[in-house]
Amino acid sequence: MTVISQQHFIESVADALQYISYYHPMDYIESLGRAYELEESPAAKDAIAQILTNSRMCAEGHRPICQDTGIVVAFVKVGMGVRWDATLTLQQMVDEGVRRAYLDPDNKLRASIVADPAFTRRNTRDNTPAVVHVELVEGDAVEVSVSAKGGGSENKARFAMLNPSDSIVDWVLKTVPTMGAGWCPPGMLGIGIGGSAEKAMVLAKESLMEPIDMADLKARGPKTPIEALRIELHDKVNALGIGAQGLGGLATVLDVKILDYPTHAASKPIAMIPNCAATRHVHFTLDGSGPARLDPPDLSRWPKVDWRPSPEARRVDLDSLTPEQVAAWKPGERLLLNGRMLTGRDAAHKRIADLFARGEGLPPGVDLRNRVIYYVGPVDPVRDEVVGPAGPTTATRMDKFTEMMLEKTGLIAMIGKAERGPVGIEAIRKHKAAYLMAVGGAAYLVSKAIRASRVVAFEDLGMEAIYEFTVQDMPVTVAVDARGESVHQSGPAEWGAKIAARIPVRVR
């Protein structure tokens, strides 16, 4: 009988979470490298170059691929012949592994988990608890698949109870455009079909643990209806032209994964969950011989991509920025930001709104007149870092606050990732402001442009506090200009039309 020790299990979970924080799965890197070579959209190609460069930097420097180091999800299959040498429950052991990984002083990860989600939303400070799915199976080993799922992609999960005669393809093609770009494409789509409502969601999440093999699948041809469906969805989703970061291009998804399960005769549950540019997962097996060993990947297998700012990019002095300068920016124009900016995301915006509702002003030390705000929750620095990885968060979550911020604070530009919704765009147009997009999935690369950092307000919010960053040549793209023109609308429309013109898509 195999004996699995508590110590070895906890150590393995902690090591795995550290490992996936800075090593992309090799299948993802190779697939993204192919997408980079084939990409024809300059904006999308530049975004993919930033993601690939960031990935190699993280692998070399052992720092997080993304500032959102995720909610931990573990699928644990326990052999019926296993005996545990443990005093903790399985959930407690996973959580202890999470705690050790996220508080590791050599590579501290961002704690994003909040307890009491409906009310106080208090950060647990160590990223526990994890979400654990347990299955008893045949055998005498413990198999673990662990992932760290970012909130930007998790928030784009979709579910429907289709009628038995409804088309899965039609639902996916109708639904993917509603997800926007906050899930940081190009990535993977995980789809669960059948079972019950909750089973379909678990299937979709579990499918994302599988390796990317779309190129191999196409080369050999489908052997099952599910494989044929994967290919069809892959091609038709890419034909939408959404592209990297939603800027328009050839590569929106690198693979589509599908798991199914028998269901009720009256039902066809379907769930879809995307995995982002910070795809993080690893599989290991414990057989009683000790903790899992995870070998580092061969860095020579990374594509030879070394992103550099475009020589055509416009340098902007944030310390002397004027509304007139902002009004002159063009959609799609690349900027390099220099000087001081403030940060603020969901919790900080809510507190500011509450202050204004009580007739109070901004907190001391916070002056947003003619300033730029960056939607970010950075990772804590280690060693000689000024700040840890500090990539953008999804901007649409701040749309509800945009009118207030522009009207009451004198703010003239914002930085985030992905598109802005109609409410945000209208406020930007009304106040002749601008929205700038930084690349999601390039957090470590972006952090190298930050030369100084200090907390100026709401310190108790941790990573959601308001910081002042001093930046040098921070790369951004004008995503919504002062006239309300959005590249996240024009880019996919342009590339969807181009793809349709030269690659007719077969209709089922």
Side-chain angles (χ1 to χ4, degrees):
M1 176 177 288
T2 299
V3 178
I4 305 296
S5 82
Q6 175 175 294
Q7 177 183 347
H8 291 161
F9 185 88
I10 292 171
E11 182 180 337
S12 299
V13 170
D15 288 349
L17 290 170
Q18 277 286 310
Y19 183 95
I20 64 175
S21 76
Y22 45 74
Y23 288 142
H24 265 123
M26 205 63 240
D27 56 279
Y28 175 82
I29 289 301
E30 291 175 345
S31 182
L32 189 61
R34 287 192 293 269
Y36 174 79
E37 293 298 328
L38 295 171
E39 187 56 67
E40 298 173 19
S41 162
K45 198 175 186 78
D46 182 81
I48 296 173
Q50 289 193 44
I51 294 168
L52 286 169
T53 301
N54 180 79
S55 178
R56 191 183 64 253
M57 290 172 60
C58 294
E60 293 170 345
H62 286 195
R63 290 296 273 146
I65 295 164
C66 180
Q67 79 289 337
D68 183 353
T69 49
I71 182 170
V72 175
V73 181
F75 289 88
V76 185
K77 296 183 178 182
V78 181
M80 297 286 283
V82 165
R83 184 172 67 83
W84 290 92
D85 178 14
T87 58
L88 300 178
T89 66
L90 194 57
Q91 177 75 50
Q92 290 170 333
M93 287 190 286
V94 173
D95 286 346
E96 180 58 28
V98 172
R99 186 174 295 109
R100 293 184 187 183
Y102 278 71
L103 299 180
D104 188 322
D106 289 328
N107 181 39
K108 192 173 182 182
L109 307 180
R110 197 184 82 180
S112 303
I113 303 306
V114 295
D116 191 24
F119 300 105
T120 60
R121 297 184 66 82
R122 174 185 53 82
N123 195 300
T124 64
R125 299 291 183 175
D126 59 9
N127 222 58
T128 65
V131 176
V132 183
H133 302 281
V134 184
E135 182 181 358
L136 288 175
V137 298
E138 294 181 0
D140 54 3
V142 175
E143 296 184 14
V144 182
S145 292
V146 65
S147 72
K149 190 70 163 58
S153 59
E154 190 72 354
N155 289 350
K156 302 302 181 179
R158 297 290 187 266
F159 173 80
M161 292 297 289
L162 300 182
N163 292 319
S165 61
D166 288 345
S167 166
I168 290 169
V169 173
D170 288 349
W171 181 80
V172 170
L173 295 180
K174 176 183 71 175
T175 303
V176 167
T178 72
M179 291 159 48
W183 58 283
C184 291
M188 297 166 61
L189 291 180
I191 296 176
I193 304 170
S196 53
E198 78 281 5
K199 180 65 174 180
M201 293 299 290
V202 173
L203 289 170
K205 180 65 65 65
E206 189 173 11
S207 75
L208 291 172
M209 304 290 184
E210 297 182 358
I212 295 174
D213 65 349
M214 182 54 66
D216 293 338
L217 175 58
K218 286 187 170 184
R220 69 165 170 80
K223 296 180 179 178
T224 67
I226 287 290
E227 290 185 343
L229 179 59
R230 286 178 55 201
I231 293 173
E232 181 178 6
L233 288 174
H234 172 270
D235 292 349
K236 289 184 175 180
V237 168
N238 281 331
L240 296 172
I242 294 168
Q245 303 291 302
L247 295 170
L250 301 180
T252 302
V253 291
L254 303 177
D255 204 341
V256 176
K257 297 298 185 182
I258 301 176
L259 291 177
D260 65 352
Y261 195 85
T263 191
H264 191 284
S267 304
K268 190 191 279 187
I270 183 166
M272 180 164 59
I273 305 177
N275 233 4
C276 64
T279 292
R280 291 169 296 213
H281 61 86
V282 73
H283 177 89
F284 61 86
T285 299
L286 299 176
D287 59 7
S289 62
R293 175 177 174 176
L294 299 172
D295 295 324
D298 181 356
L299 295 183
S300 68
R301 295 174 65 185
W302 260 252
K304 306 301 181 186
V305 177
D306 188 15
W307 179 86
R308 289 287 183 269
S310 168
E312 300 173 356
R314 182 200 301 228
R315 280 187 165 80
V316 174
D317 183 356
L318 297 176
D319 296 326
S320 61
L321 190 61
T322 66
E324 291 74 22
Q325 289 174 315
V326 171
W329 294 343
K330 304 298 183 185
E333 184 176 7
R334 298 175 191 176
L335 309 179
L336 295 172
L337 305 182
N338 293 270
R340 294 171 297 158
M341 65 174 65
L342 294 175
T343 77
R345 44 177 285 159
D346 309 67
H349 279 72
K350 177 64 168 60
R351 282 204 182 172
I352 290 172
D354 291 343
L355 287 172
F356 285 137
R358 295 196 298 266
E360 303 174 31
L362 292 169
V366 178
D367 181 1
L368 288 169
R369 184 160 302 280
N370 290 343
R371 301 289 296 275
V372 172
I373 196 168
Y374 183 23
Y375 303 149
V376 63
V379 176
D380 288 343
V382 298
R383 298 179 288 279
D384 59 348
E385 291 179 341
V386 167
V387 68
T393 198
T394 307
T396 48
R397 300 201 311 274
M398 267 50 73
D399 280 357
K400 63 189 288 188
F401 302 109
T402 302
E403 170 63 28
M404 171 202 71
M405 294 291 285
L406 294 177
E407 179 183 3
K408 294 183 178 295
T409 72
L411 183 73
I412 55 176
M414 300 144 282
I415 307 167
K417 75 171 183 181
E419 74 284 351
R420 301 307 296 261
V423 171
I425 291 175
E426 175 54 27
I428 291 167
R429 185 201 62 77
K430 174 182 174 183
H431 293 278
K432 296 181 171 56
Y435 166 60
L436 312 175
M437 189 210 80
V439 172
Y444 196 38
L445 176 65
V446 170
S447 73
K448 296 305 181 183
I450 302 170
R451 301 309 171 93
S453 170
R454 66 185 182 95
V455 175
V456 296
F458 308 150
E459 186 172 7
D460 62 297
L461 294 178
M463 62 93 175
E464 293 209 67
I466 296 179
Y467 295 76
E468 182 182 75
F469 287 167
T470 301
V471 300
Q472 181 176 329
D473 285 351
M474 176 178 168
V476 296
T477 298
V478 180
V480 181
D481 73 351
R483 292 164 292 282
E485 294 184 25
S486 170
V487 298
H488 287 101
Q489 295 173 357
S490 59
E494 175 189 350
W495 281 91
K498 285 183 177 180
I499 295 168
R502 61 182 172 175
I503 311 175
V505 178
R506 292 175 300 162
V507 178
R508 286 172 68 92

